[in-house]
Amino acid sequence: MALKPAEHEQRGYRSGGPGLRLILLVAFSIALMVLDQRGQHLDQARRTLSGAFYPLLYLVDAPFTLVDTLRENLALRSELLARNRELDETLLLTNARLQRMAALEAENARLRALLDSTENLPGRVLIAEILSIDMDPLRHRIVLNRGLRDGVHAGQALIDAEGIVGQVTREHGRTAEALLITDPDHGVPVEVVRNGLRTVAMGTGDLERLSLPFLPRNADIRAGDLLVTSGLGGSFPAGYPVGTVRRVDDSAGAAFSEVDAEPAARLNRIREVLLVFPDEVERGHSIQDSPPDPSAGDAPAPADDAPETGNGEAET
Amino acid sequence: MSARHAPLWPVWLMLLLAAMLELLPLPGGLSRLGPPWTAMVVIYWALMWPGRVAIGTAWLAGLLLDVLQGSLLGQHALSLSVTSYLVLRFHLQMRIFPLWQLTMTVFCLLLLEAFLRLWIDGVAGDARAGLMRFAPAVTGLMVWPLLMALLDRSRERLERRESRFT
C-alpha cells in the first residue's frame, strides 16, 4: 500500500502543501471568529450567506409543514366542527374579558399621565412561524420565517398566547434567529406581580425551568408568585407574563436563595409566535427622555418604514 | 486510481445533505445525540480522495455549517479543517486499518473535533454542557460503519463511471 514518491506526485498530492494551507485557513478562521465576536462587522456577510442558503432551511422544514398541512386537510368534519365550536367559545370569553380592558387602559393612561411616566405598550404585532430546525442542540435558538423584509430587527420581543417566548438576536433577509428565554445565556428583567419585587429571570437550558439567581434570602417571594416583564432594559415591553415561581429554596447556607420558575409560554409546543413592534410614537418619547441604550437594539430600526402589509398583523 | 477525474459535485451534494441532516430536529432528548454528519462525510472523502477533497473543502463545509447553525463564523470551519488535515496526514495508515480500528480512529477524530469547538466556545465565553458535547461523537461512532458502507458504494460508482468515459 506504500506509495512511491513519484506515484504520490502523479495522484496530485503536494508534500509541503497541506500544512501550509492548514495554517493559513486556521489563521483566517481565527480572524473571522474574532471579527464575529467583537461586534457587527460580519453581519452583512452572514446575511448574504444565509440568504443564499435559506432554501436549505425550507427544505429541512418542508416535511414538517407537509405533515401539518396533511393533518389539517385530513381532519374529519366532525372534528373540525368541534374545534370550531371550541374556538368560538374561547373567542367569546376573551372578548368578554377585553370589554373591560378598554376602560382599564384608558384609566391606566390617565393615571400614568398624572404620574408623568410613559409606558412602552406595544403598538403592533406580527405573526411569525417557527421553522422546524434544530440549530444547536445545546442552545435554545429558533429560526423564524420573518426577516428584514417584514421589518424584523434584533432585540424585538417574541410572545405567544401565554407569555414571553424570547427575543430576536439576528435578522436575515427572509428569516430571523431568536433566543428563547430558557437559553442559558438569556435573562429577562422581571417583577413579581404581588409586590413589585424586581429581579432577572435567567434561562437554564431546560425548556421547563427558569432560575432567579439574584434574590437575597430574605426576599419576599414564594411559590405560585406570577412574574411579569418589568420593562427595564428596554428589550421587552412591560407587563407580559414570564412565568410562575415553582420552588423557593432559602434553606441553603448561601447568601442568595435558589428560586425556580416555570415559563408561562409553552416553549416546547409552540409553532407560531407574535413579534412585538414597540409603538413608534411611544418609543420616540422614551428615546428623548432617556439616554440611548445600545443594548436595547431598538435604535432607528427599519421597522418604522415597513410596509403595513395587513396580512397577519393586528392592532393591540 | 481514477479518483483524479471523477466529478466533485456529488461530494458537495453529500456535504449539503449532511449539513441539512444536522439541522433536522430529532424528537425530544434525542436532539443532543444527532451524529456530526458533516464531519463524518468530510473525514470519509479526505480519507478516500485525499488529493481532491481536503482542507479547503472541509473549511468551506464548516463555514456552511456555521452559517446554518448560527455559531461563531469560522468555528466549524476551523475544527473541520484541522480534522481533515489529520486525515490527510495519516490517510495511508488509516486506509489499511481493519474496520473496527478505523471506526475507533474516526471516533477519536470526532472527539477532537468536538473538543476544538468546545475550546473555541470557552475562549469566546460560552462553554456549557460539558460532557453532553461529546455525545454526538459517540453516536457518530455507532453510525460510521453504516455511513462508510453507503459512501463506499457511491464512490465506487463514481470512479467506475469515470473510468468508463476516459
Side-chain angles (χ1 to χ4, degrees), chain A residues 1-3 7-8 10-13 15 17-22 25-30 32-34 36-37 42 45-46 49-51 53-54 56-57 59-60 63-64 132-141 143 170 172 177 183-185 205, chain B residues 1 3-4 16 19-26 31-33 48-52 54-56 59 63-64 66-75 77-78 81-85 88-89 91-92 95-96 120-121 123-126 128-129 132-133:
Chain A
M1 200 63 195
L3 296 169
E7 203 174 340
H8 234 87
Q10 242 179 25
R11 292 185 58 190
Y13 310 134
S15 45
L20 185 66
R21 232 177 315 158
L22 178 74
L25 284 177
V26 165
F28 190 45
S29 311
I30 292 175
L32 270 181
M33 284 188 282
V34 170
D36 198 21
Q37 174 83 352
L42 292 175
R46 199 188 263 274
L49 279 172
S50 66
F53 286 114
Y54 102 104
L56 284 188
L57 297 184
L59 269 178
V60 174
F64 296 91
S132 297
I133 281 165
D134 206 352
M135 294 192 66
D136 182 347
L138 298 174
R139 312 201 52 176
H140 290 173
R141 274 186 299 194
V143 183
R170 215 180 260 147
H172 303 307
E177 287 168 26
D183 185 280
D185 272 352
Chain B
M1 295 300 125
R4 201 156 25 125
L16 276 182
M20 279 165 66
L21 267 179
E22 281 191 44
L23 288 179
L24 205 65
L26 295 170
S31 70
R32 292 187 168 197
L33 298 176
M48 290 307 174
W49 289 0
R52 308 206 56 202
I55 306 173
W59 191 83
L63 201 67
L64 169 71
D66 285 329
V67 170
L68 290 181
Q69 296 201 345
S71 47
L72 215 51
L73 216 55
Q75 187 180 23
L78 191 149
S81 48
V82 171
T83 314
S84 69
Y85 173 76
L88 209 60
R89 199 83 193 141
H91 72 274
L92 292 179
R95 275 192 203 168
I96 54 169
I120 293 168
D121 269 348
V123 173
D126 55 51
R128 70 173 70 83
M132 272 317 273
R133 288 203 157 228

Side-chain angles (χ1 to χ4, degrees), chain A residues 15 19 36 38 63 69 84 90 97 119 135 138 145 199 212 271 291 297:
Chain A
S15 45
D36 198 21
R38 301 273 157 87
T69 321
N84 206 344
T90 322
R97 239 176 263 157
E119 188 180 18
M135 294 192 66
L138 298 174
N145 70 342
T199 180
L212 278 61
R271 176 84 179 150

Side-chain angles (χ1 to χ4, degrees), chain A residues 21 105 162 170 177 182 200:
Chain A
R21 232 177 315 158
E105 218 166 62
E162 320 280 331
R170 215 180 260 147
E177 287 168 26
T182 47
V200 178

Side-chain angles (χ1 to χ4, degrees), chain B residues 4-22:
Chain B
R4 201 156 25 125
H5 297 294
L8 265 189
W9 62 264
V11 176
W12 276 106
L13 196 70
M14 283 176 208
L15 286 171
L16 276 182
L17 270 176
M20 279 165 66
L21 267 179
E22 281 191 44

Side-chain angles (χ1 to χ4, degrees), chain B residues 30-46:
Chain B
L30 286 179
S31 70
R32 292 187 168 197
L33 298 176
W37 296 108
T38 319
M40 289 197 290
V41 172
V42 163
I43 291 175
Y44 178 83
W45 288 109

Side-chain angles (χ1 to χ4, degrees), chain A residues 3-271:
Chain A
L3 296 169
K4 292 187 294 263
E7 203 174 340
H8 234 87
E9 287 300 317
Q10 242 179 25
R11 292 185 58 190
Y13 310 134
R14 275 166 289 167
S15 45
L20 185 66
R21 232 177 315 158
L22 178 74
I23 290 169
L24 284 177
L25 284 177
V26 165
F28 190 45
S29 311
I30 292 175
L32 270 181
M33 284 188 282
V34 170
L35 278 177
D36 198 21
Q37 174 83 352
R38 301 273 157 87
Q40 281 81 48
H41 307 289
L42 292 175
D43 277 8
Q44 192 51 49
R46 199 188 263 274
R47 206 167 287 153
T48 316
L49 279 172
S50 66
F53 286 114
Y54 102 104
L56 284 188
L57 297 184
Y58 274 75
L59 269 178
V60 174
D61 179 62
F64 296 91
T65 315
L66 189 70
V67 168
D68 275 1
T69 321
L70 281 181
R71 197 177 290 153
E72 271 168 30
N73 286 336
L74 297 180
L76 291 174
R77 192 182 129 81
S78 56
E79 277 172 29
L80 286 176
L81 284 176
R83 177 114 184 90
N84 206 344
R85 207 172 308 127
E86 200 179 295
L87 287 175
D88 269 344
E89 277 166 20
T90 322
L91 187 66
L92 188 67
L93 283 175
T94 319
N95 275 343
R97 239 176 263 157
L98 271 177
Q99 286 170 10
R100 282 174 48 224
M101 265 293 279
L104 283 176
E105 218 166 62
E107 186 183 332
N108 196 344
R110 254 194 332 271
L111 288 172
R112 288 204 165 265
L114 283 177
L115 288 169
D116 249 357
S117 68
T118 52
E119 188 180 18
N120 271 349
L121 282 176
R124 206 155 60 85
V125 293
L126 175 69
I127 296 182
E129 209 165 287
I130 299 178
L131 299 183
S132 297
I133 281 165
D134 206 352
M135 294 192 66
D136 182 347
L138 298 174
R139 312 201 52 176
H140 290 173
R141 274 186 299 194
I142 51 173
V143 183
L144 304 172
N145 70 342
R146 304 277 186 174
L148 265 183
R149 291 174 183 223
D150 308 288
V152 176
H153 55 88
Q156 238 179 334
L158 293 178
I159 58 174
D160 78 346
E162 320 280 331
I164 293 278
V165 172
Q167 64 178 315
V168 177
T169 47
R170 215 180 260 147
E171 72 281 2
H172 303 307
R174 295 168 198 232
T175 54
E177 287 168 26
L179 204 58
L180 296 183
I181 50 172
T182 47
D183 185 280
D185 272 352
H186 195 272
V188 202
V190 294
E191 67 181 36
V192 178
V193 170
R194 187 166 52 84
N195 54 11
L197 177 72
R198 289 200 186 113
T199 180
V200 178
M202 307 290 292
T204 55
D206 176 354
L207 279 174
E208 313 261 295
R209 198 164 69 87
L210 293 166
S211 111
L212 278 61
F214 307 120
L215 284 170
R217 288 184 59 195
N218 57 359
D220 178 17
I221 191 161
R222 41 181 123 107
D225 276 347
L226 181 66
L227 303 169
V228 298
T229 46
S230 66
L232 293 179
S235 293
F236 290 98
Y240 280 95
V242 173
T244 322
V245 175
R246 268 291 109 93
R247 191 180 65 91
V248 179
D249 180 12
D250 49 8
S251 59
F256 294 97
S257 51
E258 282 175 39
V259 181
D260 283 348
E262 189 188 353
R266 291 172 301 170
L267 296 175
N268 46 3
R269 270 178 289 162
I270 39 174
R271 176 84 179 150

